[in-house]
Structures are given as structure tokens and as C-alpha cells.
Amino acid sequence: MDSTTQALINRRRTFAIISHPDAGKTTLTEKLLLYGGAIQSAGTVKGKASDKHAVSDWMELEKQRGISVTSSVMQFRYRDYCINILDTPGHQDFSEDTYRTLMAADSAVMVIDAAKGIEPQTRKLFHVCAKRGIPIFTFFNKLDREARDPFDLIDELETEFGIRTYPMNWPISCGVTFRGVYDRNHKTILTFADAHSGRNRIESIACDLNDTERLNSLLGPEQASTLTEQIELIDAAGFEFNREDIDHGRLSPVFFGSALNNFGVEDFLEYFLSLTPEPLPRLSEGEPVSPYDDRFSAFIFKIQANMNKAHRDRIAFMRICSGKFEKDKDYYHIQGKRELRLSQPQQMMAQEREGISEAYAGDIIGVFDPGIFSIGDTIADIGFKVRYAGIPTFAPEHFAIVEQIDSMKRKQFAKGMTQIAEEGAIQIFFEPGAGMERVIVGVVGVLQYDVLAFRMKDEYGVSYTKRDLPHQYIKRLDSSVDPSTLRLAEETKWVKDVKGNDLLIFSGQWSMDFAKERNPGLELLDFDKDAF
Ligand code: G4P
């Protein structure tokens, strides 16, 4: 690989931001984009409550409900870094989408409201990150408000998540008396000239904690002595800084700040960029593929139809794993077993799309999908034998029978259901013998049903009836089993997936036990062997 390409890959940083809704993920993202000059003013990503609109929110529904339903990708430059931020949906009903997005990231930033600490969604998302073993950075936000004791906060992370922490900075009080943070590495105090005026004038003052007189004059005797005591305590009792543990997600560098006031954000970005890894090698059938391999390779982690109603299209998002992508070159679609040219390659600044002619390992690009790609597919240089591990599917936990109302719209109903299922937003099953006008829709979170109804109406002009089923579990059957011969509880349903595989859905543990008891030797296989 030539040194220019190598340098370009080396400066790429690709990470995901996760948080419980309202912790400040959008605000932090916006501030990061501001530093990179990708947006010109605050409020671009998300305006005031009256005008709630996030650059990263695509769908009307998201705006209406004020939640981020699908994840988006934003690229910006900061100094000589090229940064790809993957935004993830905050709502737990979309954790499957989050999981796929995390597959494309090399690290994650977890934003936590310092007044609340770990919240349910932080918990769920953390476990998804931990499963991948990627570095996890923690940003405790909203220190300008009353917050919980910082020792409590890090203790909670350690005990709940079984992760070690290393505070990179330490808050000097919070709420109305919030003065700023102490940077442990540079041994400086970063203070707001006026933490509450809304002005962003930040002073960085070199300060030796042993110089009591100076510290007193800077912070006043009370805050000065509290800070000294607290730093002594974390220096003595806290974990050591260890790069290898950070790289494997065993130690989380912790930052305190206030995204809204832009406090501690630049500092965070600087440290983060120095600690978060450059594009990492990815495994292809157990063998690592270096990002610096000359040959291009990428995998698809997300498919999104109708992102923009003006262009009725479908975009496949891919993470480039090695080499350089070039616009007019022919590539090989491993699963489709054919050569193709990736058309309309683009990078995303959320809703803004920018046509590109080249991209590098670490980047996320979107390409036009004429309906040939599936999540998890690998695309590579012709002759490059590579196949990235598939992306596991979550087992649905809710099921409903969905039936079209207007038989004139049969085609649109089938198209909408199939396309949305191919995106991975829902999963569809069929009762044996049933046609495409009546499907069983399985979802991980019930909010996905709202998205489905909205999109079917908005994008395909179709309404339907929906009847919730009491079923909660889905199991696969071995292909040697003839489901019609099984003795099952009355409520147990035999269904087929789009590929014709046989599955059973159950409403409870007892009916699964029943199936096993009445059919000796019957194996109920996990929905997806890699699933959760
Ligand atoms: P999210 O993406 O994680 O859901 O959170 P978001 O950034 O939308 O922030 C949620 C709310 O918290 C917003 O207020 C935002 O202004 C506020 N916020 C974010 N960071 C800070 C901070 O450091 N300090 C304080 N005090 N507030 C912060 P909102 O009233 O819901 O919305 P808006 O009217 O400000 O847009």
C-alpha cells in the first residue's frame, strides 16, 4: 500500500455514541461537529423544543416522537483526523439496529446524565458494546446541574458493569457551584470564566495541587481542599491507566463535563482521539484482514429504504474494512456471487448526502441497493477471497398477525413488508399455506410496529389490520423434522420464514416443555445461533 493511502487510513476514527434518551447524546454530537466545522452553529443537529429536529433523524416519526429510530452516520474532519460518528437509536426497542451499528464501530462513547447515573438503556447498550470487546469511553454529562457524587458514579459503573474506570478528569463541584474540571494528565485546572453565563470562554490554568496558596486563590479554600482530597483518593485507590485494558474494553476512560455549555468537550475530543484506535483488523472466517491490505473489502451492516422521500431508493451502508474504495471500479459481491459496480456511492452527513469518488478503510459509505444486498454481506476486490462474519439477528419477542385491507394494494403490501423486513427492521413469517396478504410480523420492541405502520402508509400507501399474538418465543426446527407430524399445545404455531425454514412460536415456557415432552428427541433450536 502506498504511504499516502496508509496515512489516510491511519487518521480515521470510527465510533458510535450510545446513551439513554435525554442524557445529551445529540448535544454532544453537535458540539463535536461544531469543532470539526461540519456544522456552523449550535442547534443544527437539534433545535429548541418547539423546533425539535435532528440532523440525524430521518423519519417523520422520529420528529413526531422526538426519538431517534434509526441510526445515522456523520463524517467530519478535525485537525488531520477523519472522524466517522455512528449515531444509535436511543430507544431500547431498536437495540437490534444499535447492535448492527456497533459492528461497524471501532469504539463507543457512552453518554450518561451525571444526575441520574446508569439508566435502563445505558445498561442494555453497554452489554451490546461489551460483547464486542471494543473500547468504551464514558462522558458524564450535565455537570452544570446538580449531579450525583462522582465517586458514586464511577463506583456504579464498576459494580454494575464489571468494568474498571480511569477518570481522565475530575469535576470541581457541580450545579451552581460548578467550577470546571481538573485534568489529571496535564495537571491543569480547566475552568469556566463564568460557568453559567452561557459564554464558552474556558481558561486552562496549570496548577500544582501541592501549591495550596495558588489553589486557594483560584478555587477558594473549600473547593481547593475538596479537590486535593479527592484527587489524592483516586490517585491512591483508583485503577492504573492501562492502554491495553482500554483497547479491550476492560477499562473505561471517564470524562466529566457539560455538553450544552461546551464544557470539557474539546478536551474530551483530544483525549478520545489519542486513545481510540485507528481502524482495526476484522476477522474473515477466523483470519484477520488488515485495514492496510491493498485490496478493498467491506461488509454491509445496515439497509435503509426511502431515506429521503424525494429519492425513492434503498441505501446499503457498508463499513470499509480494508484498502481503498474507488467509484468506477468493479467489485465482487461474495454472497450474490457476482461482479458489480457500486452505484451512487455517497457519504452521509445525516440527511445531507455527498457523492464520493473514493473512501478508505474505516469509512462508512452508502451505496444504491437495487434489492440485491442483505445485512452482513461482504463486497470485495475481484479475486479477494474474504467473507466477514454475519451479523446476528435478535430473536423477536413480540408477534402479530398483519393482514392487508385493500386487495387492490396487494402488490404494495407485499413490497413494503418484504423491503422493510430486508432492512432488518421487522421479521416476517408465514403460516403454512398462507399467501403474502397475511403475514406474522415479529419484532424485538413494540415501537417497531408503530414504525412499520407509519412507513407502510407513508412510503407504500398501504393500511392493514394488526392482531397481537400472545407468543413470545421463537425456535427453529431441524430440516429433518416434519412439523405437520408434531404434537403441540394448541396455542403453539408452526410458521415459515422467507427462506422456507420451519419454526415454532410459543407463548410460554410451558408450551415449549410440552412440545419436548410429547415429541421425544425433538430439538428446539435457537432462532439464530449467534443471537442474544
Ligand atoms: P439525547 O440525544 O441523549 O436524547 O439528549 P439531548 O442531547 O437531546 O439532550 C436532552 C436535553 O438535555 C436537552 O434539553 C438538552 O438541551 C439538555 N442537555 C444536554 N446537555 C446538557 C448539559 O450539559 N447541561 C444541561 N443543563 N442540559 C443539557 P431539552 O430541554 O430536552 O431540549 P432543548 O429544548 O434544549 O433542545
Side-chain angles (χ1 to χ4, degrees), residues 19 21-27 46-47 49 141-142 144-145 258-260:
S19 80
D22 257 7
K25 180 164 60 87
T26 313
T27 312
K46 187 171 180 178
N141 191 26
K142 306 197 186 181
D144 59 309
R145 290 203 185 146
S258 164
L260 187 66

Side-chain angles (χ1 to χ4, degrees), residues 172 189 209 211-231:
I172 305 166
I189 284 176
L209 287 183
D211 186 347
T212 317
E213 204 173 309
R214 189 159 140 71
L215 204 59
N216 282 350
S217 73
L218 281 170
L219 301 176
E222 201 181 318
Q223 284 192 335
S225 80
T226 309
L227 178 68
T228 318
E229 273 166 32
Q230 293 186 335
I231 297 299

Side-chain angles (χ1 to χ4, degrees), residues 418-488:
T418 315
Q419 285 195 341
I420 296 174
E422 280 167 358
E423 283 176 36
I426 55 161
Q427 295 177 51
I428 51 177
F429 306 96
F430 307 90
E431 287 168 288
M436 192 61 215
E437 63 286 343
R438 179 183 151 105
V439 296
I440 293 182
V441 176
V443 297
V444 179
V446 288
L447 211 49
Q448 284 168 312
Y449 284 131
D450 294 7
V451 176
L452 177 67
F454 183 89
R455 292 190 54 187
M456 286 296 282
K457 183 96 198 116
D458 192 53
E459 294 165 23
Y460 302 92
V462 179
S463 303
Y464 54 75
T465 58
K466 169 176 159 278
R467 184 160 58 83
D468 290 330
L469 292 170
H471 300 77
Q472 299 174 41
Y473 303 99
I474 183 158
K475 295 284 176 188
R476 226 169 251 296
L477 294 173
D478 189 84
S479 55
S480 62
V481 176
D482 175 359
S484 63
T485 62
L486 293 176
R487 298 184 62 202
L488 301 167

Side-chain angles (χ1 to χ4, degrees), residues 125-149:
L125 293 168
F126 173 86
H127 290 303
V128 172
C129 290
K131 213 169 164 71
R132 276 212 55 213
I134 52 175
I136 302 173
F137 296 78
T138 307
F139 187 88
F140 282 114
N141 191 26
K142 306 197 186 181
L143 264 294
D144 59 309
R145 290 203 185 146
E146 284 309 312
R148 280 173 48 189
D149 179 74

Side-chain angles (χ1 to χ4, degrees), residues 18-29 46-50 52 66-68 87 90 111 113 139 141-145 257-263:
I18 58 170
S19 80
H20 188 88
D22 257 7
K25 180 164 60 87
T26 313
T27 312
L28 182 66
T29 307
K46 187 171 180 178
K48 288 279 145 257
S50 55
K52 255 197 175 129
I67 53 164
S68 192
D87 188 14
V111 184
D113 184 333
F139 187 88
N141 191 26
K142 306 197 186 181
L143 264 294
D144 59 309
R145 290 203 185 146
S258 164
L260 187 66
N261 292 293
N262 217 356
F263 191 83

Side-chain angles (χ1 to χ4, degrees), residues 254-375:
V254 170
F255 299 82
F256 292 86
S258 164
L260 187 66
N261 292 293
N262 217 356
F263 191 83
V265 176
E266 194 174 9
D267 229 33
F268 161 74
L269 183 58
E270 288 288 342
Y271 276 122
F272 172 71
L273 290 173
S274 69
L275 293 172
T276 190
E278 60 190 75
L280 299 170
R282 298 275 168 159
L283 291 181
S284 157
E285 299 182 323
E287 291 296 316
V289 175
S290 163
Y292 301 105
D293 194 306
D294 262 322
R295 297 162 297 179
F296 166 84
S297 68
F299 68 86
I300 294 172
F301 65 96
K302 181 180 170 69
I303 293 173
Q304 172 97 39
N306 306 331
M307 260 172 51
N308 180 339
K309 276 175 83 181
H311 320 234
R312 290 223 153 243
D313 56 5
R314 189 152 104 148
I315 305 281
F317 288 91
M318 56 179 85
R319 148 88 195 210
I320 304 179
C321 302
S322 66
K324 173 181 173 183
F325 164 80
E326 286 165 89
K327 188 177 169 210
D328 291 318
K329 218 174 140 183
D330 288 328
Y331 291 109
Y332 194 71
H333 176 206
I334 307 288
Q335 282 76 4
K337 297 190 176 59
R338 57 179 231 181
E339 289 180 20
L340 43 74
R341 194 163 286 186
L342 299 171
S343 58
Q344 301 167 26
Q346 47 198 280
Q347 242 149 15
M348 307 283 152
M349 168 56 207
Q351 220 158 18
E352 305 285 315
R353 308 177 184 190
E354 194 181 299
I356 50 157
S357 52
E358 56 191 41
Y360 299 87
D363 282 343
I364 311 291
I365 59 170
V367 297
F368 175 70
D369 174 17
I372 55 172
F373 297 129
S374 297
I375 288 168

